[in-house]
Amino acid sequence: MDKDPKAWSRSHYQLGRCDSVENGQSESFNFVIVDARKKPIITMLEEIRLYMMERMYRMRAKGMAWEDNQVFPTIMLLLNDLKKHQRYWQVYASGLNQFEVRSGVEGFAVDLERKTCSCRLWQMNGYGCVNSVATICYLNRNVESYVAYMFSGAMYKKPYNYNIAGMNRSFMWPETTYIPTFTPKDRRMPGRPSEKRRRDAS
């Protein structure tokens, strides 16, 4: 690892891989609950609960069809694309599991034991780059076996091991002694109210 702070990269850290996944999931979730967020708090929470309950079931049923050591289908598509482009790269052995991969004026160092490439793409995405795939194919090894565990079927199933239990509708909920909540009162803001005038096009 380079000791120069200017050369540090988030690709050196395991957590760096998860940022894009987490951002995508939060954006997708916010898009789903757009309508629910406009409703009263209990109704909103009920709609979110039903959505999550059904989604947990669907994702769990989907994962049951995968083997524990199987790689995600989306990752397989990316690997197949890398396999098509790896034929343009030449591989030269420099150690037991260390290689130099070259194409034209470009050249990168690949370490299969540490699962690293000097282009740093393999460390960032977890499934490989064209240089690593070219090296693995050069040795006639299985490319899927070098994919990070986070993309395996076993890891996919872990978040969906538990389900959200169904419950009765609100008319069957037990009553409490707490004061019921009401919508806030309309409050007149200080100052003269603004007037929105529809101006003529001219």
Side-chain angles (χ1 to χ4, degrees):
M1 182 175 177
D2 200 326
K3 295 182 179 180
D4 183 7
K6 296 180 180 178
W8 287 358
S9 169
R10 297 191 70 183
S11 62
H12 288 100
Y13 304 95
Q14 293 283 349
L15 294 176
R17 299 177 187 169
C18 301
D19 286 350
S20 60
V21 177
E22 291 176 353
N23 291 336
Q25 288 180 341
S26 61
E27 290 177 4
S28 299
F29 182 73
N30 286 333
F31 177 78
V32 169
I33 66 171
V34 158
D35 293 332
R37 290 169 62 180
K38 303 174 184 177
K39 299 179 180 179
I41 184 69
I42 299 297
T43 307
M44 179 191 74
L45 292 175
E46 276 295 283
E47 290 193 9
I48 294 175
R49 183 186 65 82
L50 289 173
Y51 167 75
M52 293 302 300
M53 182 176 67
E54 186 181 18
R55 177 175 171 81
M56 291 282 285
Y57 168 76
R58 284 190 286 106
M59 300 304 284
R60 185 178 183 181
K62 181 180 178 181
M64 293 299 292
W66 298 354
E67 299 292 337
D68 287 347
N69 58 350
Q70 182 179 348
V71 179
F72 289 1
T74 52
I75 299 300
M76 285 301 305
L77 292 175
L78 297 172
L79 288 177
N80 291 334
D81 188 57
L82 291 175
K83 289 177 182 178
K84 294 178 183 177
H85 292 87
Q86 62 86 22
R87 64 178 181 271
Y88 302 111
W89 294 79
Q90 296 292 324
V91 180
Y92 302 91
S94 63
L96 187 60
N97 282 297
Q98 298 172 342
F99 302 84
E100 181 178 336
V101 185
R102 301 179 66 89
S103 177
V105 297
E106 293 183 307
F108 300 95
V110 176
D111 190 327
L112 292 183
E113 185 175 355
R114 299 174 60 188
K115 295 184 179 181
T116 60
C117 178
S118 58
C119 75
R120 298 186 178 181
L121 186 59
W122 195 1
Q123 296 92 297
M124 282 187 66
N125 59 30
Y127 59 84
C129 58
V130 66
N131 311 310
S132 63
V133 172
T135 305
I136 298 169
C137 292
Y138 171 78
L139 297 174
N140 291 323
R141 296 179 182 176
N142 187 9
V143 177
E144 291 77 12
S145 62
Y146 286 87
V147 176
Y149 178 71
M150 62 183 292
F151 297 120
S152 66
M155 181 62 75
Y156 177 89
K157 297 174 187 177
K158 278 188 177 181
Y160 309 111
N161 281 339
Y162 307 95
N163 62 301
I164 299 176
M167 58 184 298
N168 299 322
R169 291 298 300 271
S170 57
F171 70 90
M172 296 185 67
W173 294 353
E175 295 186 3
T176 65
T177 58
Y178 299 107
I179 300 174
T181 56
F182 299 98
T183 56
K185 296 180 179 180
D186 292 335
R187 185 162 62 95
R188 181 184 177 90
M189 300 301 293
R192 183 177 179 180
S194 61
E195 297 180 0
K196 297 182 179 179
R197 301 175 181 175
R198 184 173 296 178
R199 297 181 179 274
D200 188 83
S202 60

